[in-house]
């Protein structure tokens, strides 16, 4: 008996050792295009003066860093914004130069892209961004933004992709490939653990190595190793006691040594805090000025505090990117209009696939007949009351940070008017007064009571209409860089208005325009139909109209869980967010930079202890048995899909999960099939289940198709803190397949 136990133990140990070797082998198979220029770079560096080298290591203008003109090395031109190329700015200010040719496509923001669950359209998105960057003379796009959505209130949740590292990682890989294969470098941001906007300029994130690698660093690692990302932006915050811009563990040990990253690291704007620490830890370019890596660095080299070989290495890493990206001549840049048909088409296709149908319950038409409100039945609906300022508010600009001066943005009202023409009488009433920049500048709360006069007008219109379409949610002033929302309650008295509208007309569709989760308890209760349309870009209004009218079946899936209340969110439940600063009047570092103010980040002492560790988002809600309003991966369709015939087959790289997906309806539609796994016999703490694969599938009405989703063995590894490496634990794996994290009708068990 003991011999049998010992044999099984030795077999398990051997498997674990072999598995660990496999994970490490996978980590090393990365060859960067950037390494093809070394001999040329050797010659360039030998020809450079020390002063010329240091000129390359800091900002030249607000969005450029210097080259070496006498050696034919062009400046590096940066394009702000992960969802559209920012307009041209004055060299040393945030003021626009008002060119007639610097408009751009407003692509759907990050959470909208993530709701497509489509690597195909993430690739097209990245390629579209690159095409416009090239026309504008840009070398590097400051994006994609791939931090994990730890809190739903995060000011940049709308920019980020998901609460799940695998979904974020696959989309980041596709975006990166699309961008760089077209000729523009990406700059992955914000590295790392920039998961809140409040106090981001000085908060110190404390987290275990395992949670950091498995959740928060994983999308960055995938984009570097699998897509050869050429740029990374260091975040504002600290991690485990060190600023990200001088964090030896993040920049040297993990990024450059473990991942083999050969490219360049730039700071977030104003995010460098030292000279010697930053340049030796791996920082290449201080942006936008030269406070630490200009004269101070030159003095440090001359004083022997920094070796010139360190400077040479930082210059080499910049030159690798400069060689890989063909510079655009100044006289060519901005000579042609941007925001053209091809990119607008990509924006439209992404927007179509991002819209999430949360609810579509039938309502009584007569005593004996019930019917769903969506898609709109033009035989019954001859008049529509469109209520809510979000029906007419443009979202390309607003708040603090990245925005897009776009040539075109179709609002939801415009989209409906174009789609319905004279078939339906549309009456628009604002219903509420949106939170605006003036209110934000006065530090007012978005949570205001309903405007009685506007509400009365809306109720009157609702009573006269066959259908009410209520546009609720946030805008770019509510969700903004530099500050987090204080609640997820709908702003501007929208809940009160929703109740009043429902009393006036039970036939109400609510469209939530938001970049992240909001409290849906009221609108869910009073609306038979409920959708999320995000900040959905230049063509968002057209895409929404197509979904509402049935020209397109909704197919978006939530890339993050929508909680019932903030207290349920893991960061709130563990009391690790929000924090209270030790010094009064602490401001945001970026806002201070724009306003020429110093928020005095060095004096702050603020800890964000990630007490939930790896149990972020659905992992927490599942493990703690906490109900949510709508779960991760959720989204309805006008079609009905059936899953059947599950088979799990081992492959050289992991497993193929095969099953049959059937469109059991008379509507063409797309479905996002999802694969989750659990490890109930694991010897380490794990979530109940985790996403390990997904695929968007288009099916004609009645079509039946066999689907294969690969699950990579590398994605089944866990981070071992003792060996500081990815390890693969042997044992049983339970595989689940379905249309969302809480609807997984197919199950199977296999051996790892």
């Amino acid at each position: 008996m003991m011999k049998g136990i010992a044999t099984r133990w030795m077999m398990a140990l051997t498997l674990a050792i072999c598995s660990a070797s496999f994970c490490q082998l996978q980590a090393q198979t990365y060859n960067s295009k950037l390494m093809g220029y070394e001999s040329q770079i050797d010659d360039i560096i030998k020809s450079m003066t020390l002063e010329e080298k240091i000129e390359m290591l800091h900002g030249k203008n607000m969005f450029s860093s210097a080259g070496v003109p006498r050696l034919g090395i062009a400046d590096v031109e940066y394009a702000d914004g992960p969802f559209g190329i920012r307009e041209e700015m004055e060299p040393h200010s945030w003021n626009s130069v008002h060119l007639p040719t610097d408009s751009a496509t407003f692509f759907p923001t990050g959470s909208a892209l993530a709701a497509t669950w489509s690597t195909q359209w993430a690739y097209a998105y990245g390629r579209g961004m690159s095409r416009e960057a090239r026309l504008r003379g840009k070398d590097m796009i400051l994006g994609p933004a791939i931090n994990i959505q730890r809190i739903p209130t995060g000011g940049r949740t709308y920019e980020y992709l998901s609460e799940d590292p695998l979904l974020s990682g696959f989309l980041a890989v596709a975006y990166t490939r699309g961008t760089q294969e077209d000729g523009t470098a990406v700059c992955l941001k914000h590295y790392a653990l920039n998961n809140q906007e409040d106090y981001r300029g000085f908060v110190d994130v404390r987290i275990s190595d395992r949670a950091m690698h498995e959740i928060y660093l994983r999308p960055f690692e995938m984009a570097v190793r699998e897509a050869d990302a050429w740029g990374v932006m260091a975040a504002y915050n600290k991690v485990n006691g060190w600023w990200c811009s001088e964090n030896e563990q993040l920049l040297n040990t993990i990024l450059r040594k473990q991942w083999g990253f050969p490219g360049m690291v730039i700071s977030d704007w104003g995010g460098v805090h030292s000279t010697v620490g930053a340049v030796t830890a791996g920082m290449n370019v201080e942006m936008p000025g030269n406070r630490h890596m200009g004269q101070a660095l030159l003095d440090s080299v001359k004083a022997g505090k920094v070796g010139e070989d360190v400077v040479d290495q930082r210059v080499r890493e910049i030159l690798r990117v400069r060689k890989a990206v063909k510079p655009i001549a100044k006289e060519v840049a901005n000579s042609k209009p941007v925001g053209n048909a091809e990119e607008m088409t990509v924006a439209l296709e992404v927007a179509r696939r991002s819209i999430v149908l949360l609810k579509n319950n039938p309502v009584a038409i007569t005593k004996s007949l019930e019917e769903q409100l969506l898609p709109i039945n033009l035989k019954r609906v001859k008049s529509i009351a469109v209520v809510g300022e979000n029906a007419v508010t443009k979202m390309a600009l607003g708040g603090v940070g990245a925005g897009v001066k776009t040539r075109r943005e179709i609002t939801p009202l415009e989209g409906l008017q174009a789609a319905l023409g004279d078939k339906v009488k549309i009456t628009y009433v604002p219903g509420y007064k949106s939170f605006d920049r003036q209110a934000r500048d006065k530090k007012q709360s978005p949570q205001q009571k309903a405007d009685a006069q506007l509400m009365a007008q809306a109720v009157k219109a609702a009573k006269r209409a066959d259908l009410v379409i209520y546009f609720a949610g946030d805008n770019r002033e509510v969700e903004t860089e530099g500050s987090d929302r204080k609640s997820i309650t709908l702003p501007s008295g929208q809940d009160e208005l929703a109740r009043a509208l429902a009393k006036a007309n039970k036939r109400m569709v609510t469209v939530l325009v938001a970049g992240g989760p909001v409290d849906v308890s009221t609108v869910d209760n009073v609306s038979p139909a409920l959708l999320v349309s995000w900040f959905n870009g230049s063509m968002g209004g057209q895409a929404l109209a197509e979904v509402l009218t049935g020209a397109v079946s909704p197919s978006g899936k939530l890339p993050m869980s929508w909680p019932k209340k903030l207290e349920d969110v893991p960061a709130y439940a563990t009391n690790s967010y929000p924090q209270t600063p030790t010094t009064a009047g602490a401001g945001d570092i970026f806002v201070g930079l724009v306003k020429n103010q110093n928020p005095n980040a060095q004096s702050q002492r603020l800890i964000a202890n990630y007490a939930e560790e790896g149990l972020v988002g659905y992992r927490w809600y599942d493990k703690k048995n906490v109900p949510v309003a709508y779960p991760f991966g959720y989204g309805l369709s006008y079609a009905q899909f059936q899953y059947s015939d599950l088979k799990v087959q081992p492959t050289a790289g992991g497993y193929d999960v095969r099953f049959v997906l059937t469109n059991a309806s008379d509507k063409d539609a797309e479905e996002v099939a999802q694969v989750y796994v659990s490890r109930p016999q694991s010897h380490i703490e794990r979530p109940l289940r985790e996403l390990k694969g997904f695929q968007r599938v288009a099916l004609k009405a009645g079509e039946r198709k066999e689907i294969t989703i690969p699950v990579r063995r590398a994605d089944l590894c866990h981070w071992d803190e003792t060996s500081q490496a990815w390890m693969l634990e042997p044992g049983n794996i339970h595989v689940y397949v379905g249309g969302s994290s809480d609807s997984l009708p197919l199950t199977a068990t296999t051996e790892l």
Side-chain angles (χ1 to χ4, degrees):
M1 179 69 175
M2 290 300 295
K3 183 178 179 181
I5 294 173
T7 301
R8 288 195 297 272
W9 183 85
M10 286 300 296
M11 288 178 64
L13 179 62
T14 302
L15 279 169
I17 293 171
C18 292
S19 298
S21 299
F22 172 84
C23 288
Q24 293 175 34
L25 180 64
Q26 290 290 96
Q28 294 168 1
T29 55
Y30 161 47
N31 296 308
S32 175
K33 178 182 176 181
L34 297 184
M35 298 304 293
Y37 307 97
E38 293 303 279
S39 61
Q40 298 176 45
I41 292 172
D42 287 341
D43 293 339
I44 293 170
I45 291 176
K46 288 176 185 176
S47 302
M48 294 175 67
T49 67
L50 175 60
E51 288 76 10
E52 285 173 332
K53 296 172 185 176
I54 288 175
E55 278 297 299
M56 295 186 70
L57 304 187
H58 57 77
K60 177 180 180 180
N61 295 323
M62 191 60 73
F63 287 101
S64 70
S65 56
V68 189
R70 73 177 183 87
L71 298 178
I73 306 300
D75 298 347
V76 179
E77 303 288 343
Y78 304 101
D80 194 18
F83 52 86
I85 309 302
R86 184 197 279 263
E87 65 193 290
E88 297 301 315
M89 315 295 284
E90 293 177 355
H92 302 290
S93 81
W94 297 93
N95 298 323
S96 170
V97 296
H98 302 292
L99 293 181
T101 55
D102 66 349
S103 297
T105 301
F106 169 26
F107 289 90
T109 61
S111 54
L113 174 62
T116 70
W117 290 58
S118 173
T119 54
Q120 173 192 350
W121 288 106
Y123 179 94
Y125 188 117
R127 182 176 180 274
M129 287 283 292
S130 174
R131 283 169 56 86
E132 300 209 338
R134 299 272 79 194
L135 287 172
R136 295 276 307 281
K138 309 303 182 185
D139 302 306
M140 176 177 282
I141 292 171
L142 304 181
I146 59 175
N147 291 101
I148 294 296
Q149 295 167 336
R150 181 177 181 242
I151 54 173
T153 49
R156 296 180 98 165
T157 292
Y158 74 92
E159 279 194 42
Y160 298 145
L161 296 175
S162 175
E163 69 185 22
D164 182 81
L166 192 80
L167 177 57
S168 295
F170 275 129
L171 295 175
V173 166
Y175 183 123
T176 298
R177 287 176 176 164
T179 302
Q180 294 190 167
E181 288 175 12
D182 188 73
T184 311
V186 300
C187 184
L188 308 175
K189 65 182 190 183
H190 306 84
Y191 184 75
L193 292 112
N194 182 181
N195 308 111
Q196 64 185 72
E197 291 297 288
D198 281 356
Y199 317 124
R200 60 178 173 164
F202 49 85
V203 69
D204 185 358
V205 173
R206 302 296 173 86
I207 188 172
S208 70
D209 277 357
R210 183 183 171 203
M212 181 170 67
H213 278 272
E214 291 185 11
I215 303 295
Y216 296 96
L217 297 188
R218 185 62 178 146
F220 290 93
E221 180 182 11
M222 290 174 68
V224 167
R225 285 182 167 159
E226 298 176 33
D228 188 22
W230 297 338
V232 170
M233 179 185 289
Y236 282 130
N237 51 284
K238 292 181 178 180
V239 174
N240 293 329
W242 295 91
W243 298 108
C244 288
S245 59
E246 54 190 69
N247 195 302
E248 180 73 21
Q249 181 191 23
L250 287 178
L251 298 184
N252 273 338
T253 301
I254 295 174
L255 181 64
R256 296 200 186 276
K257 293 178 182 177
Q258 290 179 358
W259 299 352
F261 175 72
M264 57 187 284
V265 177
I266 70 171
S267 75
D268 208 336
W269 268 229
V272 175
H273 298 272
S274 71
T275 298
V276 177
V279 74
T280 56
M283 177 62 61
N284 294 92
V285 181
E286 174 189 13
M287 289 298 293
N290 60 359
R291 179 181 177 189
H292 296 286
M293 294 178 66
Q295 184 64 44
L297 178 55
L298 180 62
D299 293 343
S300 295
V301 174
K302 290 181 176 179
K305 296 179 181 179
V306 176
E308 190 167 351
D309 60 324
V310 174
V311 174
D312 287 350
Q313 183 61 25
R314 298 291 86 85
V315 169
R316 176 179 298 276
E317 290 151 356
I318 297 170
L319 288 172
R320 287 169 179 163
V321 178
R322 179 67 281 174
K323 283 292 182 180
V325 178
K326 182 181 178 181
I328 304 296
K330 292 288 194 295
E331 61 272 17
V332 175
N334 292 299
S335 62
K336 296 180 180 179
V338 186
N340 298 311
E342 185 173 347
E343 283 66 60
M344 288 291 180
T345 298
V346 172
L348 175 60
E349 295 290 355
V350 170
R352 284 170 171 161
R353 291 164 175 80
S354 74
I355 295 166
V356 181
L357 179 61
L358 297 179
K359 179 182 178 182
N360 194 20
N361 291 347
V363 297
I365 304 300
T366 65
K367 288 184 178 180
S368 59
L369 177 64
E370 288 188 332
E371 183 180 77
Q372 292 171 318
L373 295 183
L374 295 176
I376 298 170
N377 185 342
L378 295 181
K379 293 180 181 179
R380 301 188 189 280
V381 175
K382 300 302 179 183
S383 61
I384 297 175
V386 173
V387 180
E389 278 201 0
N390 274 352
V392 298
T393 301
K394 295 186 176 182
M395 302 295 181
L397 297 170
V400 174
V404 187
K405 173 185 165 184
T406 185
R407 291 170 66 187
R408 186 182 190 192
E409 181 177 351
I410 301 173
T411 66
L413 179 60
E414 290 169 341
L416 281 167
Q417 289 169 333
L420 296 174
D422 58 2
K423 299 174 186 176
V424 175
K425 179 184 177 183
I426 297 176
T427 301
Y428 166 71
V429 287
Y432 56 82
K433 186 181 185 303
S434 292
F435 186 72
D436 58 19
R437 173 166 294 188
Q438 184 178 14
R440 181 168 55 80
D441 288 345
K442 292 180 179 178
K443 301 188 183 302
Q444 296 176 355
S445 170
Q447 307 306 326
Q448 301 292 329
K449 291 184 178 180
D451 183 297
Q453 183 177 355
L454 293 177
M455 184 164 64
Q457 293 171 356
V459 167
K460 183 178 179 181
K463 288 179 178 178
R464 295 176 175 177
D466 295 330
L467 179 69
V468 176
I469 304 181
Y470 177 39
F471 286 86
D474 297 331
N475 60 25
R476 293 283 306 282
E477 298 297 339
V478 176
E479 298 186 45
T480 176
E481 179 179 349
S483 62
D484 298 326
R485 285 182 286 159
K486 302 304 178 278
S487 80
I488 55 174
T489 303
L490 289 171
S492 307
Q494 291 177 14
D495 282 340
E496 185 180 353
L497 176 57
R499 288 189 289 267
L501 291 171
K503 287 181 180 179
N505 191 332
K506 300 296 183 185
R507 296 172 56 80
M508 182 166 77
V509 175
T510 295
V511 179
L512 295 167
V513 180
V518 295
D519 183 344
V520 297
S521 56
T522 296
V523 292
D524 200 0
N525 186 50
V526 301
S527 305
L530 188 63
L531 303 93
V532 185
S533 72
W534 314 105
F535 300 146
N536 226 348
S538 287
M539 306 299 289
Q542 178 178 331
L544 179 62
E546 291 174 343
V547 168
L548 292 173
T549 59
V552 171
S553 181
S555 60
K557 302 281 187 173
L558 292 179
M560 75 290 280
S561 309
W562 282 43
K564 284 181 174 289
K565 55 185 186 297
L566 273 184
E567 292 80 5
D568 295 336
V569 175
Y572 288 82
T574 57
N575 293 315
S576 57
Y577 181 90
Q579 308 89 19
T580 302
T582 57
T583 303
D588 179 70
I589 186 169
F590 179 74
V591 174
L593 179 70
V594 173
K595 296 182 177 180
N596 295 315
Q597 299 170 348
N598 182 4
N600 196 18
Q602 295 276 12
S603 69
Q604 305 299 324
R605 297 291 182 271
L606 200 61
I607 304 297
N609 180 25
Y610 282 30
E612 76 277 15
E613 292 289 340
L615 296 179
V616 180
Y618 69 92
R619 292 167 167 80
W620 173 272
Y621 302 122
D622 288 349
K623 188 88 168 182
K624 303 297 182 180
N625 197 27
V626 176
V628 295
Y630 288 99
F632 175 77
Y634 178 88
L636 301 177
S637 172
Y638 295 151
Q640 293 80 45
F641 297 100
Q642 295 175 352
Y643 290 79
S644 62
D645 303 321
L646 175 63
K647 297 175 183 177
V648 180
Q649 298 177 328
T651 65
Y655 296 91
D656 277 348
V657 178
R658 294 180 176 172
F659 56 94
V660 172
L661 184 63
T662 303
N663 180 352
S665 75
D666 60 357
K667 302 177 185 294
D668 296 351
E670 296 185 10
E671 165 72 331
V672 178
Q674 302 164 40
V675 177
Y676 296 79
V677 304
S678 68
R679 304 290 301 276
Q681 299 174 340
S682 177
H683 296 289
I684 59 176
E685 184 176 359
R686 295 181 185 269
L688 289 185
R689 64 182 64 88
E690 297 178 280
L691 180 73
K692 293 302 175 185
F694 59 91
Q695 185 175 321
R696 174 171 281 272
V697 182
L699 292 173
K700 299 290 185 182
E703 185 178 4
R704 184 176 186 268
K705 187 181 293 186
E706 185 177 64
I707 307 301
T708 300
I709 299 179
V711 173
R712 307 183 305 182
R713 188 174 285 114
D715 292 326
L716 298 172
C717 296
H718 69 276
W719 185 259
D720 182 77
E721 294 186 339
T722 301
S723 62
Q724 286 293 295
W726 291 105
M727 304 282 278
L728 188 63
E729 182 185 27
N732 286 341
I733 292 181
H734 292 183
V735 178
Y736 306 86
V737 178
S740 78
S741 63
D742 77 333
S743 178
L744 300 165
L746 303 184
T747 61
T749 301
T750 189
E751 188 78 16
L752 185 63

